[in-house]
Amino acid sequence: MEMVGEARLEAAREVVWDALNDPAVLQASIPGCESLESTAENEFTATVVSKVGPIKARFAGKVSLSNIAPPRSYTLTGEGSGGAAGFARADIEVSLDALEPTVTLLRYGVKANVGGKLAQLGSRMIDAAARKSADDFFELFRKQVDGRASDSTLSSGVQPAGMQAFMQQLSAPVGEAATVEAPAVASVAATAPVATEGVTAKASTSEAVPAASEPGRAPAPRDVPAQPAPTPVSQVPAAEAQAAVMDVLTSEKIKVWISDQVAVVTLNRPGSRNAMTYGMWLAMPSIVAALDRNPEVRAVIITGAGADFCAGADIPEFEKVRADVAQATTYEVAVDACCDAIANISKPTVAVLRGYCLGGGAHLAMSCDFRFAGQDAMMGIPAARLSIIYGVKGTRKLLSLVGLAEAKKILYGGQRFDATHALRIGFVDQVAGLGVVASGRSLWERLIGAKQQVARSDPMAEARTFATSLAGNAPLSMAGAKYLLNGMAMGTGALDLVRSEALIAAAAASDDYREGRAAFREKRAPKFQGS
Ligand code: COA
């Protein structure tokens, strides 16, 4: 008998891991467990009273833990004899994914065998009993963990060292001025010089020398998003830029959490459906730049707190910051700079969409490489209802994702569309719970070669599994592919062929390329360093 399942627990992963290794918690969670005593490290004797159909028996045997990889996974093996009733053995593979600082997805796969009288009961009865035992176990386990969750501090799941390092990167001096750079996407660069309090902006051009062609300068992955001829469009004095970033971070309007090489950036204004304030647009480029520089981060997920991804720009604030043509122009520069910064980070990015994803929120989502939606996600670009022309870059991204006809329907109509429609037209890549194929694995699970089934109902769990699967791939290869594809998608003028060739050459000269070939020869997993 084999089965898989999952449980979403409201507790930090370390808390769940500790509970999984606590004999008292296990005893209280295993249905019918009368005793569980430690005999050696990771070995216990156990007595369990169990009823399968008409047969009720007391099983005595042992429980052992193996393949232990704290705080992520282990295999729990239980085997026991129930006397005349027969015997049972179960190997349970348990793995923990940290979805959020205090939310853990526990997944399990069970392989069980029974013998003797029990085996004569038939597989249907045994399967039903096993499923019930698993359900009961996780219900009881949840109660134990919930009791412990209140003792946990945020830092137990947040990896404080990573966060501190991240804050330090943000606070690091950035020269005279922190420059919010807009990549020179020549086909769309047409902004007239504008100025506003503390922020100056000027038109981008396509004339500057590509960064990679500077003598002696090999393109590192973090340089890739610089795109050809990065031209400052919005120069914020260093102190002011840092103050804006720190304000957004300390007021937690944008939260960052790094775990297992994946950074999760959360838009955090759930009371306003995570609508983006001007300060948030301004702060985001520095935040993603810091993540791009951070070697501990291999992939980035962007999501919203609570029920929604993002209901777009903060509309009430328009009276103050987007009231006339000059302000609107400056405002759109900040939006573009934010979305470009996300689009051009050298690492893979996934937007996790739940609830509303509207207007500027849709631009944020389209700036990510991939979009994973929950079934409740509701997308739309209501610009035509506010008499706003959606920006050139946002429109271009929409066009390349959904094609001309669908883009026109979305922009002319301003109507919202649901996750199923979004999947059909190509706006999202995956909807949690949809697309499961006959083999029992979804298309994504097959593509990424997931050994276990991925959560059926949680787009964050799917996104994390996917992001983690990419985290082991060659950073230079992915960064180069991203640069080429984004450049091509944004129009031929956006793509610098010289820089493209330089990237390809740098990847061919890299240690990672040698490592990839060596790993293939030696039949082992490669260890890429990004250089
Ligand atoms: N800017 C600022 N606040 C917003 C917002 C936005 N874009 N979208 C929603 N909110 C706020 C609402 O004002 C409300 O706040 P309140 O409780 O203080 O009144 C709160 O979020 C909840 O939204 P509400 O409108 O009550 O929920 P709803 O379920 O009735 O409708 C939406 C949800 C998203 C459909 C609706 O709020 C909406 O149309 N928002 C604007 C979307 C938009 O046009 N975005 C593009 C901007 S360019």
Side-chain angles (χ1 to χ4, degrees), residues 269-276 308 311-318 356 358-361 380-383 385-386 388 390 416:
R269 297 182 70 222
S272 299
R273 300 193 184 276
N274 302 319
M276 292 285 287
D308 301 285
D314 188 297
I315 300 173
E317 200 194 30
F318 281 2
Y356 288 110
L358 302 174
I381 301 177
R385 298 180 175 222
L386 286 165
I388 286 174
Y390 208 52
R416 300 196 283 266

Short mmCIF file of all heavy atoms in Angstrom, two decimals, residues 269-276 308 311-318 356 358-361 380-383 385-386 388 390 416, ligand 1:
data_model
loop_
_atom_site.label_atom_id
_atom_site.label_comp_id
_atom_site.label_asym_id
_atom_site.label_seq_id
_atom_site.Cartn_x
_atom_site.Cartn_y
_atom_site.Cartn_z
N ARG A 269 0.54 45.10 2.74
CA ARG A 269 -0.48 46.07 3.17
C ARG A 269 -1.84 45.38 2.97
O ARG A 269 -2.68 45.84 2.18
CB ARG A 269 -0.41 47.35 2.32
CG ARG A 269 0.89 48.12 2.46
CD ARG A 269 0.83 49.38 1.63
NE ARG A 269 -0.09 50.36 2.17
CZ ARG A 269 -0.92 51.09 1.43
NH1 ARG A 269 -0.97 50.95 0.12
NH2 ARG A 269 -1.73 51.97 1.98
N PRO A 270 -2.05 44.30 3.68
CA PRO A 270 -3.26 43.50 3.39
C PRO A 270 -4.55 44.29 3.54
O PRO A 270 -5.52 44.03 2.85
CB PRO A 270 -3.17 42.33 4.38
CG PRO A 270 -2.16 42.73 5.40
CD PRO A 270 -1.23 43.70 4.76
N GLY A 271 -4.55 45.31 4.45
CA GLY A 271 -5.75 46.12 4.63
C GLY A 271 -6.12 46.90 3.39
O GLY A 271 -7.27 47.30 3.20
N SER A 272 -5.15 47.14 2.52
CA SER A 272 -5.38 47.84 1.25
C SER A 272 -5.13 46.89 0.08
O SER A 272 -4.76 47.31 -1.00
CB SER A 272 -4.46 49.06 1.12
OG SER A 272 -4.70 49.96 2.16
N ARG A 273 -5.31 45.65 0.31
CA ARG A 273 -5.08 44.61 -0.70
C ARG A 273 -3.70 44.75 -1.33
O ARG A 273 -3.50 44.60 -2.53
CB ARG A 273 -6.18 44.62 -1.75
CG ARG A 273 -7.55 44.36 -1.14
CD ARG A 273 -8.59 44.05 -2.15
NE ARG A 273 -9.91 43.88 -1.56
CZ ARG A 273 -10.37 42.75 -1.03
NH1 ARG A 273 -9.60 41.69 -1.01
NH2 ARG A 273 -11.57 42.68 -0.51
N ASN A 274 -2.74 45.12 -0.47
CA ASN A 274 -1.31 45.24 -0.85
C ASN A 274 -1.08 46.24 -1.99
O ASN A 274 -0.14 46.07 -2.79
CB ASN A 274 -0.72 43.87 -1.21
CG ASN A 274 -0.85 42.90 -0.06
OD1 ASN A 274 -0.63 43.28 1.09
ND2 ASN A 274 -1.24 41.67 -0.34
N ALA A 275 -1.91 47.27 -2.05
CA ALA A 275 -1.70 48.32 -3.06
C ALA A 275 -0.33 48.96 -2.84
O ALA A 275 0.11 49.17 -1.71
CB ALA A 275 -2.80 49.36 -2.96
N MET A 276 0.35 49.25 -3.95
CA MET A 276 1.72 49.77 -3.88
C MET A 276 1.71 51.28 -3.67
O MET A 276 1.15 52.03 -4.48
CB MET A 276 2.45 49.47 -5.19
CG MET A 276 2.74 48.01 -5.45
SD MET A 276 4.09 47.36 -4.47
CE MET A 276 5.53 48.11 -5.26
N ASP A 308 -4.51 38.58 -0.91
CA ASP A 308 -4.30 39.12 -2.26
C ASP A 308 -2.83 39.24 -2.62
O ASP A 308 -1.97 39.35 -1.75
CB ASP A 308 -4.92 40.52 -2.36
CG ASP A 308 -6.40 40.50 -2.06
OD1 ASP A 308 -7.16 40.05 -2.93
OD2 ASP A 308 -6.78 40.88 -0.94
N ALA A 311 -3.51 44.89 -5.42
CA ALA A 311 -4.61 45.55 -6.16
C ALA A 311 -4.11 46.76 -6.92
O ALA A 311 -4.86 47.70 -7.18
CB ALA A 311 -5.74 45.92 -5.22
N GLY A 312 -2.81 46.78 -7.25
CA GLY A 312 -2.27 47.85 -8.09
C GLY A 312 -1.70 49.00 -7.29
O GLY A 312 -1.34 48.84 -6.12
N ALA A 313 -1.61 50.13 -7.95
CA ALA A 313 -1.08 51.32 -7.27
C ALA A 313 -2.10 51.80 -6.25
O ALA A 313 -3.30 51.58 -6.40
CB ALA A 313 -0.83 52.40 -8.31
N ASP A 314 -1.58 52.46 -5.22
CA ASP A 314 -2.46 53.01 -4.19
C ASP A 314 -3.20 54.21 -4.79
O ASP A 314 -2.63 55.28 -5.00
CB ASP A 314 -1.63 53.43 -2.98
CG ASP A 314 -2.51 53.84 -1.82
OD1 ASP A 314 -3.26 54.83 -1.95
OD2 ASP A 314 -2.47 53.16 -0.79
N ILE A 315 -4.48 54.02 -5.06
CA ILE A 315 -5.23 55.06 -5.79
C ILE A 315 -5.47 56.33 -4.94
O ILE A 315 -5.24 57.43 -5.44
CB ILE A 315 -6.57 54.49 -6.33
CG1 ILE A 315 -6.27 53.33 -7.29
CG2 ILE A 315 -7.36 55.57 -7.06
CD1 ILE A 315 -7.50 52.58 -7.75
N PRO A 316 -5.87 56.20 -3.68
CA PRO A 316 -6.07 57.44 -2.91
C PRO A 316 -4.82 58.33 -2.89
O PRO A 316 -4.93 59.56 -2.88
CB PRO A 316 -6.41 56.94 -1.50
CG PRO A 316 -6.95 55.56 -1.71
CD PRO A 316 -6.24 55.01 -2.91
N GLU A 317 -3.66 57.69 -2.92
CA GLU A 317 -2.42 58.46 -2.86
C GLU A 317 -2.19 59.27 -4.15
O GLU A 317 -1.36 60.19 -4.16
CB GLU A 317 -1.26 57.46 -2.65
CG GLU A 317 0.01 58.07 -2.10
CD GLU A 317 1.21 57.12 -2.23
OE1 GLU A 317 1.24 56.30 -3.19
OE2 GLU A 317 2.10 57.20 -1.41
N PHE A 318 -2.91 58.93 -5.22
CA PHE A 318 -2.72 59.64 -6.50
C PHE A 318 -2.92 61.15 -6.33
O PHE A 318 -2.27 61.95 -7.00
CB PHE A 318 -3.71 59.13 -7.55
CG PHE A 318 -3.30 57.82 -8.20
CD1 PHE A 318 -2.16 57.15 -7.82
CD2 PHE A 318 -4.09 57.26 -9.20
CE1 PHE A 318 -1.79 55.94 -8.41
CE2 PHE A 318 -3.73 56.05 -9.81
CZ PHE A 318 -2.58 55.40 -9.40
N TYR A 356 -6.62 39.23 -5.57
CA TYR A 356 -6.53 40.23 -6.64
C TYR A 356 -5.10 40.50 -7.10
O TYR A 356 -4.18 40.58 -6.28
CB TYR A 356 -7.17 41.55 -6.19
CG TYR A 356 -8.67 41.46 -6.11
CD1 TYR A 356 -9.33 41.47 -4.88
CD2 TYR A 356 -9.43 41.34 -7.27
CE1 TYR A 356 -10.71 41.36 -4.81
CE2 TYR A 356 -10.82 41.22 -7.20
CZ TYR A 356 -11.45 41.23 -5.97
OH TYR A 356 -12.80 41.12 -5.92
N LEU A 358 -4.08 43.22 -9.83
CA LEU A 358 -4.69 44.20 -10.73
C LEU A 358 -3.72 45.33 -11.08
O LEU A 358 -2.87 45.71 -10.26
CB LEU A 358 -5.92 44.83 -10.06
CG LEU A 358 -7.03 43.85 -9.63
CD1 LEU A 358 -8.11 44.60 -8.85
CD2 LEU A 358 -7.63 43.14 -10.84
N GLY A 359 -3.90 45.88 -12.26
CA GLY A 359 -3.19 47.09 -12.66
C GLY A 359 -1.68 46.97 -12.48
O GLY A 359 -1.01 46.12 -13.08
N GLY A 360 -1.13 47.85 -11.64
CA GLY A 360 0.31 47.81 -11.36
C GLY A 360 0.72 46.49 -10.74
O GLY A 360 1.87 46.05 -10.89
N GLY A 361 -0.20 45.84 -10.03
CA GLY A 361 0.09 44.51 -9.46
C GLY A 361 0.33 43.51 -10.58
O GLY A 361 1.21 42.64 -10.48
N GLY A 380 -6.46 41.41 -13.70
CA GLY A 380 -7.10 42.41 -14.54
C GLY A 380 -6.25 43.67 -14.61
O GLY A 380 -5.38 43.91 -13.76
N ILE A 381 -6.50 44.43 -15.67
CA ILE A 381 -5.82 45.72 -15.81
C ILE A 381 -6.91 46.76 -16.08
O ILE A 381 -7.32 46.96 -17.23
CB ILE A 381 -4.77 45.68 -16.94
CG1 ILE A 381 -3.73 44.59 -16.64
CG2 ILE A 381 -4.09 47.04 -17.08
CD1 ILE A 381 -2.67 44.40 -17.71
N PRO A 382 -7.40 47.37 -15.01
CA PRO A 382 -8.56 48.26 -15.17
C PRO A 382 -8.18 49.68 -15.60
O PRO A 382 -8.89 50.64 -15.27
CB PRO A 382 -9.20 48.25 -13.78
CG PRO A 382 -8.10 47.93 -12.84
CD PRO A 382 -7.05 47.18 -13.59
N ALA A 383 -7.08 49.82 -16.35
CA ALA A 383 -6.62 51.16 -16.73
C ALA A 383 -7.72 51.93 -17.46
O ALA A 383 -7.92 53.13 -17.23
CB ALA A 383 -5.37 51.04 -17.61
N ARG A 385 -10.66 51.96 -17.01
CA ARG A 385 -11.70 52.44 -16.10
C ARG A 385 -11.23 53.60 -15.26
O ARG A 385 -11.98 54.17 -14.48
CB ARG A 385 -12.15 51.30 -15.20
CG ARG A 385 -12.73 50.20 -16.06
CD ARG A 385 -13.21 49.02 -15.31
NE ARG A 385 -13.84 48.14 -16.29
CZ ARG A 385 -14.97 47.51 -16.09
NH1 ARG A 385 -15.60 47.65 -14.97
NH2 ARG A 385 -15.47 46.74 -17.03
N LEU A 386 -9.93 53.91 -15.37
CA LEU A 386 -9.38 55.04 -14.62
C LEU A 386 -8.81 56.09 -15.58
O LEU A 386 -8.18 57.04 -15.15
CB LEU A 386 -8.24 54.56 -13.70
CG LEU A 386 -8.63 53.77 -12.45
CD1 LEU A 386 -7.40 53.07 -11.88
CD2 LEU A 386 -9.22 54.69 -11.41
N ILE A 388 -6.36 55.69 -17.63
CA ILE A 388 -4.90 55.62 -17.57
C ILE A 388 -4.46 54.79 -18.77
O ILE A 388 -5.13 53.81 -19.13
CB ILE A 388 -4.46 54.91 -16.27
CG1 ILE A 388 -4.67 55.84 -15.07
CG2 ILE A 388 -3.02 54.43 -16.34
CD1 ILE A 388 -4.39 55.18 -13.73
N TYR A 390 -1.94 52.17 -19.85
CA TYR A 390 -0.98 51.27 -19.22
C TYR A 390 0.38 51.55 -19.84
O TYR A 390 0.49 51.77 -21.05
CB TYR A 390 -1.43 49.83 -19.48
CG TYR A 390 -1.00 48.84 -18.42
CD1 TYR A 390 -1.25 49.07 -17.08
CD2 TYR A 390 -0.35 47.66 -18.77
CE1 TYR A 390 -0.87 48.16 -16.10
CE2 TYR A 390 0.03 46.73 -17.81
CZ TYR A 390 -0.23 47.00 -16.47
OH TYR A 390 0.14 46.09 -15.51
N ARG A 416 -11.98 41.84 -15.24
CA ARG A 416 -11.13 40.90 -14.51
C ARG A 416 -11.31 39.50 -15.08
O ARG A 416 -12.36 39.17 -15.64
CB ARG A 416 -11.50 40.92 -13.02
CG ARG A 416 -11.31 42.31 -12.42
CD ARG A 416 -11.28 42.25 -10.91
NE ARG A 416 -12.59 42.09 -10.33
CZ ARG A 416 -13.36 43.10 -9.91
NH1 ARG A 416 -12.92 44.34 -10.01
NH2 ARG A 416 -14.53 42.87 -9.38
N1 COA B 1 -5.39 51.44 -3.65
C1 COA B 1 -5.64 51.70 -2.36
N2 COA B 1 -6.51 51.00 -1.60
C2 COA B 1 -7.12 49.96 -2.19
C3 COA B 1 -6.87 49.59 -3.53
C4 COA B 1 -5.96 50.38 -4.26
N3 COA B 1 -5.64 50.09 -5.53
N4 COA B 1 -7.63 48.51 -3.82
C5 COA B 1 -8.29 48.21 -2.70
N5 COA B 1 -7.98 49.09 -1.73
C6 COA B 1 -8.53 49.14 -0.37
C7 COA B 1 -9.96 49.63 -0.37
O1 COA B 1 -10.01 51.03 -0.42
C8 COA B 1 -10.45 49.08 0.94
O2 COA B 1 -9.98 49.89 1.98
P1 COA B 1 -10.97 50.37 3.16
O3 COA B 1 -11.37 49.10 3.84
O4 COA B 1 -10.12 51.26 4.00
O5 COA B 1 -12.11 51.05 2.49
C9 COA B 1 -9.71 47.76 1.06
O6 COA B 1 -8.59 47.83 0.16
C10 COA B 1 -10.55 46.57 0.62
O7 COA B 1 -11.02 46.83 -0.70
P2 COA B 1 -12.58 46.87 -1.09
O8 COA B 1 -12.75 47.76 -2.26
O9 COA B 1 -13.41 47.19 0.11
O10 COA B 1 -12.80 45.35 -1.45
P3 COA B 1 -13.76 44.76 -2.56
O11 COA B 1 -13.69 43.28 -2.41
O12 COA B 1 -15.09 45.40 -2.54
O13 COA B 1 -13.06 45.15 -3.96
C11 COA B 1 -11.23 45.45 -5.51
C12 COA B 1 -11.74 44.76 -4.23
C13 COA B 1 -9.75 45.12 -5.61
C14 COA B 1 -11.97 44.89 -6.71
C15 COA B 1 -11.47 46.95 -5.40
O14 COA B 1 -10.92 47.41 -4.19
C16 COA B 1 -10.82 47.73 -6.51
O15 COA B 1 -11.39 47.83 -7.58
N6 COA B 1 -9.63 48.32 -6.25
C17 COA B 1 -8.95 49.13 -7.23
C18 COA B 1 -8.26 48.27 -8.23
C19 COA B 1 -7.62 49.10 -9.33
O16 COA B 1 -8.26 49.83 -10.04
N7 COA B 1 -6.30 48.97 -9.44
C20 COA B 1 -5.55 49.61 -10.45
C21 COA B 1 -4.86 50.78 -9.90
S1 COA B 1 -3.85 51.53 -11.14
#
